[in-house]
Amino acid sequence: MNNVKGHGPEGFANPTALPQTSEQARHWQEANRSWWENHPMRYDWKKKITFPEFTKEFYVEIDRRFFSNVWEYMPWNKQSFDYLIDFDSLFDKDVLEIGAGNGSHAQLLARYARSFTGIDITDYAVRSTSERMRYFGLEATILRMDAEEMQFADNTFDFIWAWGVIHHSSNTRRVLQEMHRVLKPGGQAITMVYHRNLWSYYIMCGLLRGVLQGDLLRTRSFHATVQQSTDGAIARFYSLAEWESLVSTLFYVERIMVFGSKAELIPLPGSKVKKVVMTLIPNGLSRFLMNRCKMGSFLVSVLKKIA
């Protein structure tokens, strides 16, 4: 999660709320677009990146920060995220990424895919990912596009990747419908959305941050307090049962998993003390608690299109 605080737009009243009117949907999506245009995911909320924006060094530093965090909760054999993605199988596949951001995932996928298309709701992401592809000599199509209204023909893609994106959209259910439409029969999609559970949501996001930072007193609402402590204009949080129910009308759920970073395990605000405590906890222990015991905040699903 990006540590720049979000705050839900008017009417976003519970962790899985969907818009009730087309006007509300438009308002929510504009709030979503504006928030990410002004707060792109650069992993610089604790320490600013000193390299000039949109340079090769800028992208290398973003990746260093991002993938070192990924290693904590999902170590790899040859390539980051190979626990989830069979990269060698992508050579004859047309791949779509929803939410290109600064292009860390795009660079991974484009190296292997027959064709790679990345979409994002912001101009910033389109510019940044396009520049990254140019620097690293990768073929890719990067487009500004709303994932709720994709401008692709039916049955276009073999594989869709959406990491930490679609729970921020105005209507997550609509994005899933569009993913199903543009995915080929038998195609696969992998998504990560935020997980609502006792530890990461109710204790870490809500109670501890709400009390320690005083947000609970200001908002007088547990839901609003959580929105204050997370990223995006909208951030939905799903239980395992809720997410499986939502996706299973469109996809066969091949795998559903939970992951979480070591920082989520320690009920302290970011500080030197927290960093010291984190060094004392083995990665294996944090993976057991966050992943195996499902205490983490990342809910990951591997989905197959039902023809």
Side-chain angles (χ1 to χ4, degrees):
M1 295 183 191
N2 189 326
N3 282 13
V4 179
K5 293 182 179 181
H7 50 87
E10 184 177 353
F12 185 65
N14 65 69
T16 61
L18 294 174
Q20 298 303 301
T21 66
S22 58
E23 177 62 21
Q24 189 174 62
R26 186 198 62 77
H27 172 67
W28 287 10
Q29 196 70 322
E30 177 53 28
N32 178 44
R33 186 207 62 76
S34 178
W35 199 96
W36 288 107
E37 197 78 76
N38 290 288
H39 305 96
M41 185 67 85
R42 290 185 291 237
Y43 303 92
D44 63 347
W45 52 86
K46 293 180 182 177
K47 184 179 179 181
K48 295 299 180 183
I49 295 176
T50 57
F51 299 109
E53 203 168 30
F54 311 131
T55 63
K56 187 174 182 179
E57 294 79 11
F58 171 75
Y59 297 119
V60 169
E61 177 60 17
I62 286 176
D63 290 353
R64 185 191 67 79
R65 297 181 183 198
F66 173 52
F67 291 120
S68 64
N69 178 250
V70 173
W71 176 265
E72 282 185 3
Y73 62 83
M74 193 192 302
W76 54 84
N77 292 318
K78 296 180 180 179
Q79 175 67 68
S80 50
F81 288 98
D82 62 12
Y83 182 80
L84 295 173
I85 305 170
D86 180 2
F87 286 98
D88 291 336
S89 73
L90 299 181
F91 77 97
D92 63 347
K93 290 181 171 58
D94 299 311
V95 173
L96 171 67
E97 180 184 14
I98 297 173
N102 271 297
S104 296
H105 299 284
Q107 185 175 338
L108 280 180
L109 293 162
R111 286 207 305 251
Y112 292 89
R114 174 173 61 193
S115 73
F116 175 83
T117 301
I119 66 171
D120 201 284
I121 201 170
T122 68
D123 290 319
Y124 177 95
V126 171
R127 177 187 175 186
S128 184
T129 302
S130 297
E131 286 293 309
R132 179 194 279 261
M133 297 296 102
R134 183 176 67 82
Y135 274 122
F136 292 96
L138 294 169
E139 292 291 329
T141 300
I142 311 299
L143 303 168
R144 179 176 170 184
M145 190 180 295
D146 187 337
E148 295 183 21
E149 299 177 5
M150 289 195 237
Q151 307 303 304
F152 303 120
D154 296 355
N155 307 319
T156 297
F157 298 100
D158 301 284
F159 180 81
I160 297 176
W161 177 259
W163 187 264
V165 175
I166 65 176
H167 54 282
H168 291 300
S169 195
S170 166
N171 191 327
T172 300
R173 181 169 58 196
R174 175 63 182 158
V175 180
L176 289 166
Q177 290 169 342
E178 280 291 274
M179 289 170 60
H180 181 271
R181 182 183 66 80
V182 303
L183 198 62
K184 295 176 184 178
Q188 188 182 73
I190 298 179
T191 66
M192 184 275 278
V193 297
Y194 289 160
H195 181 214
R196 192 173 83 252
N197 63 8
L198 176 61
W199 180 258
S200 66
Y201 181 84
Y202 289 102
I203 296 178
M204 289 294 287
C205 272
L207 186 59
L208 286 175
R209 292 178 186 173
V211 171
L212 292 175
Q213 298 177 6
D215 287 346
L216 196 55
L217 288 175
R218 288 191 294 270
T219 65
R220 299 182 182 276
S221 161
F222 195 90
H223 169 68
T225 295
V226 172
Q227 292 297 304
Q228 285 287 316
S229 68
T230 189
D231 54 356
I234 294 170
R236 292 187 181 84
F237 291 75
Y238 294 91
S239 70
L240 283 162
E242 286 169 341
W243 183 249
E244 191 159 14
S245 175
L246 184 64
V247 299
S248 61
T249 58
L250 297 165
F251 300 96
Y252 169 70
V253 182
E254 294 187 316
R255 299 165 68 190
I256 191 163
M257 300 152 281
V258 172
F259 296 93
S261 68
K262 189 185 297 185
E264 296 177 47
L265 185 60
I266 303 166
L268 294 171
S271 63
K272 292 182 179 179
V273 172
K274 184 165 184 171
K275 288 183 179 179
V276 171
V277 174
M278 286 175 63
T279 63
L280 300 176
I281 299 176
N283 286 344
L285 177 59
S286 66
R287 288 176 203 139
F288 175 78
L289 295 172
M290 294 290 101
N291 303 353
R292 294 288 296 277
C293 297
K294 296 181 171 53
M295 293 169 60
S297 63
F298 296 165
L299 197 168
V300 177
S301 53
V302 180
L303 312 172
K304 186 174 182 178
K305 178 173 176 176
I306 300 172

